[in-house]
Amino acid sequence: MTVRFGAITVDWLGRATVRLEGETGTVIYADPGPETDGIVDGQDPRDGDLILVTHGAHYDPDSIHRLAHENSIVVVHESIDAETIDWAAEQPDALPFEVARVQENESFILGPLDLSTTPADTEPDGSRADGRGRPDHPSGEGCGFLVTIDGITAFWPGNTDPLPAHDELAVDLFLAPIGGGPTMDRHEAAALATRLDPDLVLPVRYETTDARTAEDEAFVVDVAIRGIPVVLDR
């Protein structure tokens, strides 16, 4: 399903992958990782002007080659190292595209786009830490992205707990991860949506199996009763 929101169209392509297309034709992909249905399954659109990768688990050179064209810009977190990723045989810097490595809290102007990076980490004493207090996503191993396309500012937080820094963001479209595990669950995402007060919430990182349907729909209700527009892309 394609969601039309202001001057952009939004497609959730499965798992963490989102495609944004502006009215002027600019196309952005966020986190086209190896497990995403529709990206590695025979499609080869080569229409991505900007490809964003939040952390190593979503770095997949094969998907990037399928999505990018000769003038694409690929933005990856600085920590990404193909030698530590089983399926990645090519380092970001070896890709035949313009590649930028970024840290959190950076800002860029890329032609008609404004792009910022946000912190993305899970707390050592939180529910996403192991028995030794090591979080799934320590600080410095990933980021989120805030991108403005045709007047719409979209926020894709990456794998993270809700953080105080998120509350300061001005967001029109919140691409809310709700799956739990290495990122926030539906309750945390709904609470963050309340603080962000965007014009639309579109949840991502959830399963479309029958077992998860009640959880997904509960998130929609939880956000909607707070007076925030929300849509479930299935």
Side-chain angles (χ1 to χ4, degrees):
M1 180 175 73
T2 298
V3 176
R4 181 75 181 180
F5 175 57
I8 68 172
T9 56
V10 188
D11 290 282
W12 174 54
L13 302 176
R15 294 290 290 170
T17 306
V18 177
R19 180 185 186 274
L20 306 175
E21 181 172 358
E23 218 167 36
T24 54
T26 301
V27 174
I28 301 168
Y29 288 93
D31 278 347
E35 78 286 0
T36 302
D37 295 338
I39 292 298
V40 297
D41 188 20
Q43 293 195 22
D44 194 20
R46 300 185 186 275
D47 62 350
D49 300 298
L50 177 64
I51 298 171
L52 308 173
V53 185
T54 59
H55 63 288
H58 293 301
Y59 174 65
D60 179 40
D62 181 61
S63 291
I64 293 172
H65 279 283
R66 291 172 184 265
L67 298 178
H69 54 74
E70 62 180 7
N71 296 317
S72 296
I73 299 174
V74 180
V75 179
V76 305
H77 189 263
E78 65 171 2
S79 65
I80 293 175
D81 180 0
E83 291 187 2
T84 67
I85 303 169
D86 291 343
W87 56 86
E90 191 173 13
Q91 291 283 10
D93 307 296
L95 294 170
F97 313 107
E98 182 177 347
V99 176
R101 287 184 176 268
V102 296
Q103 303 175 3
E104 62 183 53
N105 297 322
E106 295 192 68
S107 296
F108 311 87
I109 297 176
L110 302 175
L113 304 174
D114 290 337
L115 177 68
S116 300
T117 59
T118 62
D121 52 81
T122 52
E123 300 296 331
D125 58 352
S127 61
R128 281 171 281 280
D130 63 21
R132 295 175 294 175
R134 177 176 169 80
D136 274 348
H137 290 274
S139 178
E141 294 189 8
C143 66
F145 289 103
L146 193 75
V147 61
T148 301
I149 174 173
D150 290 349
I152 300 295
T153 299
F155 176 41
W156 170 220
N159 280 19
T160 183
D161 287 332
L163 302 173
H166 296 153
D167 296 350
E168 307 301 318
L169 303 176
V171 176
D172 300 309
L173 171 64
F174 178 29
L175 301 164
I178 66 171
T183 190
M184 63 188 79
D185 61 25
R186 70 172 181 88
H187 302 287
E188 294 166 315
L192 179 56
T194 301
R195 298 195 296 275
L196 291 173
D197 193 26
D199 294 320
L200 183 67
V201 175
L202 192 156
V204 299
R205 281 200 70 96
Y206 60 90
E207 305 297 336
T208 55
T209 61
D210 291 342
R212 283 301 309 247
T213 298
E215 284 284 297
D216 307 336
E217 293 178 351
F219 171 79
V220 170
V221 172
D222 200 8
V223 173
I225 63 175
R226 300 168 193 238
I228 300 171
V230 57
V231 60
L232 196 65
D233 186 352
R234 289 197 180 279

